[in-house]
Each structure stands twice: as structure tokens, then as C-alpha cells.
Amino acid sequence: MIKKKWWHDKVAYQIYPKSFKDGNSDGIGDLRGIIEKLDYLEELGVEIVWISPIYQSPFIDQGYDISDYYAIDPVFGTMDDMDELLLEAKKRNISIVMDLVVNHCSDQHEWFQKALRDPFGKYGRYFYIREGKNGNPPCNWRSYFGGSVWEKLPGYENLFYLHMFAKEQPDLNWENPQVRQEIYKMIRWWLKKGIAGFRLDAIINIKKDLRFQDMPADREDGMCTGAKMLQYAEGVHEFLQEMKQEAFEPYQAFTIGELFDFRPEEMERYIGDNGCFESIFDFAPHILGGSEKGWFARRPVTPDEFRDAVYHSKTVSQDIGMMANIIENHDEPRGVSRYLPEHDINETSKKMLAGISLMTYGLPFLYQGQEIGMTNKQFQSIEEVDDINTLDEYNVAIENGLDKEQALKLIAGMSRDNARTPMQWSNEPNAGFSKSNPWLAVNDNYSEINVEEQKTRKDSVWSFYKKLISFRKNPEYTETVVYGRQIPVLTELKNFMGFYRRGEKQVLLVLANYQSQKREIVIKEKVKRILIDNYEGSCDTAKPIQTEKGTVFLMESYQFLVIEV
Ligand code: TEU
Ligand code: CA
């Protein structure tokens, strides 16, 4: 079994601050809004809250472009609000985790402004500034948000700076020890303030393949996705270990890495006993169905693929450390819209997905609105989209010959704005999120799907999440739910997920009928008791029958069960 950590038995929750709750009625969520809702989070059973960036920012990439790491953006409030939030959270046993965005900063950050003035001086070395090839970029890497990763330095014919993301997000030069020290200093400053730790944004990108060479083109634009260089970049662990020792360890900080494109054999180095992070997100289901061509060429994810991805992650990680389970975040569509077939999205199937996510080995990480089963937005036109990433993918679709309508249709399902629409608190105007017009339109379905309504109903998605969360904390079962070994069962069945959680005190069996058709399931064990059933309270609640083959269940459409055997 893995070494126990204080956060293992918790449930975590991500807040996207612009869209969570508006405290001062300007249409944008803020810190006062979060403070207002701490009781709500406590009631749900949340004990760790990660807040997406609230630092000073020009908001080219919604706060992931930071112009001052030591300041709260006025849109969100003041440093006093932040201190109050920390204090109030503490009273409720909630640990606050901030976003650490240090692969890049904003082009408005004073470091970059100074670099622009003197590219060969001290601050020039804070970034990757390179000579081009006769006025063309040094190499053919494509940025995550489209176009070259290289942008010309204003005033120079053949000097470029590197940006893996938008051109307003210049990459910080981690090879420079001064840069690293500045970052560690900033981290310590925040930890000293009382935050519990950080979520580390795009962190694997901090190590570059410094040869900056062309790679074989993967699209007709002649470029290759910059992410590919990560395969050739050696030594990210040295940076990460140094950061851990100098910044995190002195404060015993909780750290959770956002890692894509990492090598599975490195799991130990990431989340093992001496790993550089406490945890990392499990993005295995997220990458399913993707295409090098772009979002427009994605295909839907099948239940079996989803299952296999989840099982694989657990197989490679559960003896090493604990990953975090998500079905959505601020970069993703809504989980229920993505992992359930479109015509089957209903409260029962949403509860099944909730059950899978919370009963799978790992730290459950909810994203705001997931607990009420918020769905993707129906975008009517590209004008409704704010997100820089979606706008680029829309253009890619157009460049590939799709007309506007098709392009929108194909990329809308992946848009990051699906998750960024305001939190649906009630059926009041603007979903109770704000008294003014929100910065991004609310989802039309807020009168059906909202917190206020769901809290009054015992059979709501919200109530089911609450039940799953309290189950994780029930002293009778917590050890098994948190540390019990996950062992797949009935893997030959299509559209089905079954697994044991084998603990020291008991064995739980999790069964999910991931389809609308009913089916018969036979298990070899006798049932001690049924602990969770998403049909509870209805006449279709599980009724196991003992036969000589074993125990037989007639499982309803998207039925989800946790059984003690
Ligand atoms: O995301 C990193 C990242 O890899 C994503 O950009 C991902 O490729 C994309 O969202 C897929 O659609 C982090 C943040 O979570 C994201 O919001 C930021 O835009 C990005 O870093 C840059 O800071
Ligand atoms: Ca506000």
C-alpha cells in the first residue's frame, strides 16, 4: 500500500473564479462570491478547493497569462479579500490550492517588458530569445493555440521569442537559475500566506528541447505541434525536484501536476514516495478520440474506451501513488456531455458517471457545476465563444474546408467555454450567478438544472454526489474507498464497468451498466448489503436473487451499484 497522506481521504473541488459567483454585481465572479459560497462547499463535503488563476492579468487566456504574481486582479477583489477567504476557508476545514502558472507569464509582466527594451540584458535571459532564419522563425513548431511558437521581437528583423501558448504568453526560461529562484521565492511567499499548495499548470512544458530544430510537419501548414518536442526534452525532473526541495517541501505543500504527454514509466518519479508532486490528474479519458488534425476531426468516446482508459491508469499508478480523478475541468467539455451518449444524458446516467468517478481509486476532483450535472452549452454562433483555444480550432476547421455551420457544430462539443458558463445556482435571472449580465452567457437550461432545485430533492444529482462524498468519509468504509485495491471484473462485457475495491476490512463491488438496455449480471459472491444504488427510492431499486450460478441482478438502464460482498 502507498504511504498515507493527509489529503488522500478528501474530496477536492475546482473553482473557475470568473464563473463561480459574482459578489459585487459586475457580471464577473470574484473572491467575495467564493467566500459567500464556502458554506455551500462545506455542506457538500468538499475539503480542498483549487481556484484557477486570480492573479493580475490582461486575460488573454483568462488569467493563465499573469502580469503580476504577487497581486490579485482587481476584477476578483483585493489581497484583503484573499486573506479573508483563507481565514474563512480554514474555519470550515477547507484547504485552498492556487494555480501555479510558471511555464510562461504575460507579455505585460515587467520581466517581459524589460526584455523587450533590452533583449540582450538580464531580462532577455528570462525568456527564450533566438535568432531566426533570415527573418523566419527558428523552427517549425506550432503553438497550442495555433500559429508558430515564435513571435518576432518588435524592432528586430531576425529576433524571436518563444511562446508555447498564445503570443501574449512568453515562455519563461527555466534554464536560467535566476528565473527559477524568482519563481521559488514567489511560491514560498504564497505558501507562507497560508495556502495549502498549488496546481501546476502545463508544468511539463518547462523543459524544452533546446536544439529548437524543425520536426516533420503534421499538418499542411508545414508545422508540427510544439508538444512533440517534449519527447526529446530531457531533464524536467531536475527542475521539478529542485522546485520541490526549495519551495514546496519547507511548507509541506500539496501539489498536483497538470501533465499531458508524459511517459508512463515515469509515474514513480512523479507521484512515488520521492516523486516531484503529491498527485497528478488522470487525463487518460480526456485524450481519447483526439486527432492530430484538430478538434473538428475528433470522434466520440465509447463506454468501453472510457473504461479501459480508467482501468489502465489505475493499473499503472495505484501501487505508486494517488492520481486525481476528473470528468471535466475548465479546459474540457462537460463530463456528462462527453462521456455519455447524447440521447442518454439524464439524471440516472449522470449519477452513474458520478459513482464511477468517486468510487475509482484516486482523489475525486469535482469541477464547479459537475455536482448538479451541468451540461455543454448549445452554441448558436461563433460570436458566443470567448475562448482563445476554441476560436483557433474553429479556424482550423474552416481551413480544412468545412463551412461555418459544420465547423461550429464539430468544435462546439469540445469548446472550453462549455465548462466556463456561469455556475447555475438557481432559476433566478442569470442563474443566480450575478445581478448583472454575466461576462459569458449562462446555459439556457439553468431553470431545469440548478443548485437550489436539486438541494430540495433527495433523488437529484446533487444529493447523489453528496451521498457518494459522505460514503467516502464514512468511518466504516473510508479505508476501503480510499485505499482498497481496484481490481476489474466482468471485463468481457460491453458497455459495462465492474470493479472490486479490496480493502482490509471489507470488499466492495462496483457495478455500472453503461448503456440504456437493461441486462442481467451474475456475480459469484453473495451480497452482504447494497450500499449505493442510483435507483434507490424507485421501484427499480436493485433486488439481487440468489441462484446456484451465483447472485443475479437485473440491472436497469445506467444503473450504478456499490455492494459489499
Ligand atoms: O492547460 C494546458 C494545456 O495543455 C491545455 O492548453 C490543453 O492543451 C487545452 O486546454 C486542450 O484544449 C493549461 C490551462 O489549464 C489552460 O487553461 C491554459 O490555457 C494553458 O495551460 C496555458 O496556461
Ligand atoms: Ca464581480
Side-chain angles (χ1 to χ4, degrees), residues 21-30 75:
K21 175 73 187 156
D22 180 13
N24 66 349
S25 307
D26 65 352
I28 306 175
D30 47 41
V75 145

Side-chain angles (χ1 to χ4, degrees), residues 61 64 104 145 165 199 201 258 295 330-331 389 416:
D61 183 22
Y64 283 92
H104 45 269
F145 296 154
F165 292 88
R199 172 263 188 188
D201 184 72
E258 187 211 22
W295 288 357
H330 69 294
D331 291 334
N389 196 180
R416 306 200 297 179

Side-chain angles (χ1 to χ4, degrees), residues 297-426:
R298 286 188 90 97
R299 50 170 189 78
V301 179
T302 68
D304 293 350
E305 281 179 305
F306 176 80
R307 171 194 65 193
D308 294 345
V310 170
Y311 288 171
H312 179 73
S313 291
K314 299 313 139 188
T315 312
V316 297
S317 69
Q318 67 179 334
D319 293 327
I320 298 174
M322 198 179 278
M323 295 176 97
N325 301 332
I326 57 160
I327 61 166
E328 65 202 49
N329 67 26
H330 69 294
D331 291 334
E332 314 253 332
R334 288 290 179 175
V336 295
S337 300
R338 182 167 194 187
Y339 300 120
L340 295 170
E342 203 178 332
H343 45 275
D344 287 346
I345 304 176
N346 54 46
E347 288 210 322
T348 309
S349 57
K350 287 176 182 180
K351 288 181 204 164
M352 179 205 71
L353 208 54
I356 293 171
S357 187
L358 270 97
M359 287 306 298
T360 298
Y361 183 97
L363 173 71
F365 226 111
L366 273 56
Y367 177 73
Q368 64 186 42
Q370 177 183 332
E371 73 274 30
I372 52 170
M374 278 178 67
T375 61
N376 277 0
K377 187 176 159 68
Q378 302 298 320
F379 294 97
Q380 306 300 334
S381 107
I382 193 69
E383 265 71 68
E384 291 176 1
V385 171
D386 166 272
D387 169 38
I388 182 172
N389 196 180
T390 311
L391 296 172
D392 171 56
E393 292 285 350
Y394 176 77
N395 290 334
V396 171
I398 300 277
E399 279 158 23
N400 276 271
L402 285 102
D403 66 34
K404 288 181 172 176
E405 207 178 314
Q406 286 173 312
L408 181 67
K409 201 171 154 224
L410 289 177
I411 57 131
M414 279 304 290
S415 174
R416 306 200 297 179
D417 280 352
N418 284 307
R420 298 177 182 187
T421 62
M423 176 73 181
Q424 292 164 206
W425 292 107
S426 70

Side-chain angles (χ1 to χ4, degrees), residues 436-492:
S436 318
N437 226 2
W439 70 278
L440 188 69
V442 293
N443 193 316
D444 294 330
N445 62 18
Y446 72 87
S447 43
E448 296 137 61
I449 302 177
N450 64 66
V451 172
E452 195 176 67
E453 189 278 330
Q454 293 204 13
K455 277 176 74 171
T456 61
R457 200 153 44 81
K458 262 172 68 185
D459 64 350
S460 68
V461 176
W462 189 87
S463 299
F464 198 67
Y465 267 101
K466 192 165 152 65
K467 178 186 277 179
L468 289 163
I469 295 172
S470 8
F471 184 59
R472 187 178 178 84
K473 298 182 189 180
N474 178 337
E476 183 64 22
Y477 294 102
T478 188
E479 186 78 15
T480 307
V481 178
V482 176
Y483 296 107
R485 197 149 226 298
Q486 178 158 340
I487 306 157
V489 65
L490 299 169
T491 42
E492 68 286 0

Side-chain angles (χ1 to χ4, degrees), residues 50-107:
W50 153 36
I51 309 176
S52 276
I54 47 177
Y55 312 89
Q56 183 182 298
S57 167
F59 292 101
I60 296 293
D61 183 22
Q62 293 306 354
Y64 283 92
D65 45 327
I66 298 170
S67 53
D68 185 351
Y69 290 96
Y70 294 92
I72 301 289
D73 194 279
V75 145
F76 295 125
T78 63
M79 198 56 84
D80 285 344
D81 294 329
M82 184 64 200
D83 291 334
E84 191 178 325
L85 171 64
L86 289 173
L87 198 78
E88 291 300 319
K90 198 167 180 189
K91 285 187 197 157
R92 294 163 180 83
N93 257 324
I94 295 176
S95 306
I96 300 289
V97 171
M98 298 260 284
D99 217 307
L100 187 70
V101 190
V102 289
N103 173 66
H104 45 269
C105 59
S106 159
D107 62 349

